[in-house]
Amino acid sequence: MLTGVYSINELTLASWSNVLPSRELFSQSKKWCPKCFEDWKKNNQIIYEPIIWNFKEVNICKIHGVRLKTECPYCSKPIPVLTRTSRNGFCPYCRSWLGSNDITDEIVDSKHNSWKYFVVNNIGTLLKAKSEEKTNWSQDNIVSFLESLIEKTVCAFSRCFDIPKSTVSSWFGDNHKPILQTLLKICYRLDINIIEVLSSNELHVSLISEKDYNDISRENKNTNNSKVRRKIDWDNVEEKLIGIINNKDFNTSSVREVARNLNCNARLLYSHFPDLCKKISEDHDIFIRYQKIRKDKEKRQKVLEVTFDLYNQGVYPTRRKVEAILDSNISLRRKDNYSIWKDAVKSFQ
Ligand SMILES: [Zn+2]
Ligand SMILES: [Zn+2]
């Protein structure tokens, strides 16, 4: 009654509890899309935290195609799901607004991150399901689907989907249902939607032969979620690394990004070429530092502009008035911004 929502059940995952275990389901701390917050504020909409941001496996905002934030950009702390001082859209520690339009660094392209988009789309579909649809969901459907997959051999299944054999066996015991993340992984590799698995008792994807399993493994080679081993041309990789280091422009990529572009694992790259990787990492650090300095400078410039503009319009540029005009990612709480403003104001007196 107090919330004004007819069925508060619909705001939770209570209706999933018979089908999916809560193990590993939610993150320990908050995640949020700064752009969503910012848009809602701009349009005078209610600031809230969609339940989909809470899922452990969800790391992007589908609407804006950006990585969800996990730390306050001002005090750098991760934010607990609920505290005594929680307020939607604000950091409970430093009280900063968590929305922002400045998301260019956070873009997650869908071509190279198909798994992330698969996860957010599939969980989204589950969340949107009407209660009538949910009556069809059952644990039995999941079990019969898995049984149809494992029909031949547990070994081949576990290898193909990269799930330990002991885990697979435990599903058919008494009380160990497969977790959401594992089901998603299987669905992703088979290119089916998880809602079909929950709702249909006739979804029998039979992998008849060893060859079928191998085909799926092979297809997965190109996806970023796969651990299938493949031969790497190390000479070619070394040449490319040296090329990156000798390039006269700023090196804008981290070792992790370089590894991704070369289609290999960052740890593996480090173990093969420790010195080259160290150099790339150092160059990248310099680039990041340079960028930060440049951005901070731009921000201070903006503070100065706004302060003078107000003054020239005959408005006394109080802290509150200046902050109201500035983009939300520029805060006078920051020491450098504050002193620029303070000095400007002093000069008017
Ligand atoms: Zn968003
Ligand atoms: Zn904070």
Side-chain angles (χ1 to χ4, degrees):
M1 281 196 301
L2 287 172
T3 57
V5 176
Y6 285 115
S7 163
I8 203 161
N9 238 3
E10 296 295 313
L11 300 181
T12 74
L13 299 185
S15 57
W16 295 23
S17 60
N18 290 329
V19 192
L20 293 163
S22 58
R23 253 180 311 130
E24 306 279 313
L25 196 60
F26 279 160
S27 304
Q28 299 293 323
S29 54
K30 251 182 217 185
K31 289 183 285 194
W32 65 93
C33 169
K35 180 72 176 141
C36 278
F37 276 158
E38 196 63 36
D39 286 358
W40 294 331
K41 185 172 137 192
K42 197 178 83 199
N43 300 323
N44 287 322
Q45 284 169 275
I46 294 172
I47 310 293
Y48 74 109
E49 291 167 6
I51 198 166
I52 196 161
W53 292 350
N54 289 285
F55 285 83
K56 200 167 182 177
E57 204 58 34
V58 170
N59 296 308
I60 57 170
C61 164
K62 189 182 139 186
I63 302 163
H64 298 106
V66 298
R67 209 188 321 271
L68 295 180
K69 286 268 183 210
T70 55
E71 280 177 359
C72 168
Y74 300 99
C75 67
S76 302
K77 286 184 192 149
I79 302 180
V81 175
L82 200 60
T83 71
R84 277 152 46 100
T85 47
S86 281
R87 194 177 151 205
N88 288 348
F90 291 86
C91 170
Y93 299 115
C94 70
R95 310 279 165 96
S96 300
W97 168 240
L98 298 173
S100 169
N101 279 320
D102 186 13
I103 52 169
T104 38
D105 294 348
E106 308 292 336
I107 305 276
V108 178
D109 76 295
S110 54
K111 205 173 125 223
H112 297 98
N113 295 281
S114 56
W115 161 247
K116 289 191 177 136
Y117 280 88
F118 178 86
V119 168
V120 80
N121 285 329
N122 271 265
I123 294 181
T125 312
L126 292 183
L127 287 171
K128 271 188 249 155
K130 302 247 162 39
S131 35
E132 307 92 79
E133 290 174 67
K134 279 189 251 184
T135 54
N136 294 327
W137 294 5
S138 85
Q139 182 67 41
D140 288 346
N141 292 344
I142 299 177
V143 170
S144 76
F145 164 72
L146 291 171
E147 272 172 350
S148 77
L149 280 175
I150 303 170
E151 211 163 27
K152 282 281 161 186
T153 132
V154 175
C155 272
F157 175 87
S158 110
R159 199 171 52 235
C160 172
F161 293 100
D162 201 16
I163 300 165
K165 266 190 285 180
S166 55
T167 308
V168 177
S169 318
S170 73
W171 295 338
F172 302 98
D174 274 345
N175 235 333
H176 226 73
K177 304 166 192 169
I179 58 173
L180 179 67
Q181 192 185 340
T182 309
L183 286 175
L184 284 170
K185 194 154 113 182
I186 297 170
C187 291
Y188 177 67
R189 298 199 162 183
L190 294 170
D191 200 19
I192 52 180
N193 290 322
I194 189 166
I195 197 157
E196 297 177 61
V197 175
L198 302 190
S199 328
S200 161
N201 53 11
E202 281 163 7
L203 187 74
H204 288 233
V205 183
S206 290
L207 300 174
I208 319 280
S209 64
E210 191 86 356
K211 187 181 161 295
D212 288 338
Y213 286 106
N214 290 339
D215 284 349
I216 293 178
S217 299
R218 208 168 309 120
E219 277 166 28
N220 287 327
K221 257 200 309 208
N222 300 324
T223 67
N224 45 10
N225 190 39
S226 162
K227 285 186 184 159
V228 179
R229 299 245 180 273
R230 108 202 111 77
K231 266 207 158 2
I232 296 175
D233 178 355
W234 290 113
D235 289 343
N236 181 26
V237 168
E238 181 171 27
E239 210 172 284
K240 289 206 168 124
L241 293 182
I242 293 172
I244 292 170
I245 292 169
N246 289 340
N247 190 339
K248 293 216 170 47
D249 293 333
F250 267 122
N251 169 28
T252 57
S253 312
S254 64
V255 174
R256 191 182 289 270
E257 282 159 343
V258 169
R260 205 183 303 135
N261 287 337
L262 294 171
N263 210 359
C264 78
N265 175 293
R267 233 179 18 232
L268 210 58
L269 202 62
Y270 254 112
S271 67
H272 267 80
F273 306 107
D275 294 339
L276 294 179
C277 286
K278 197 163 159 241
K279 180 80 179 93
I280 288 176
S281 159
E282 283 166 5
D283 287 353
H284 181 246
D285 283 350
I286 294 173
F287 168 72
I288 294 288
R289 242 175 294 150
Y290 163 79
Q291 259 208 328
K292 188 171 179 329
I293 291 169
R294 198 176 49 99
K295 271 196 184 165
D296 287 348
K297 194 174 158 196
E298 280 169 11
K299 286 179 183 173
R300 288 197 298 273
Q301 189 63 38
K302 192 76 205 161
V303 171
L304 211 55
E305 262 172 42
V306 169
T307 310
F308 273 94
D309 278 355
L310 279 176
Y311 184 74
N312 290 335
Q313 290 158 22
V315 181
Y316 192 76
T318 60
R319 179 173 169 164
R320 190 188 292 261
K321 285 194 175 124
V322 171
E323 273 185 327
I325 296 174
L326 286 171
D327 281 348
S328 59
N329 62 338
I330 310 178
S331 168
L332 289 192
R333 254 188 222 106
R334 274 189 57 136
K335 224 172 171 182
D336 51 350
N337 294 338
Y338 179 82
S339 41
I340 282 278
W341 166 78
K342 190 86 194 162
D343 288 348
V345 171
K346 264 190 209 150
S347 75
F348 303 142
Q349 285 159 0

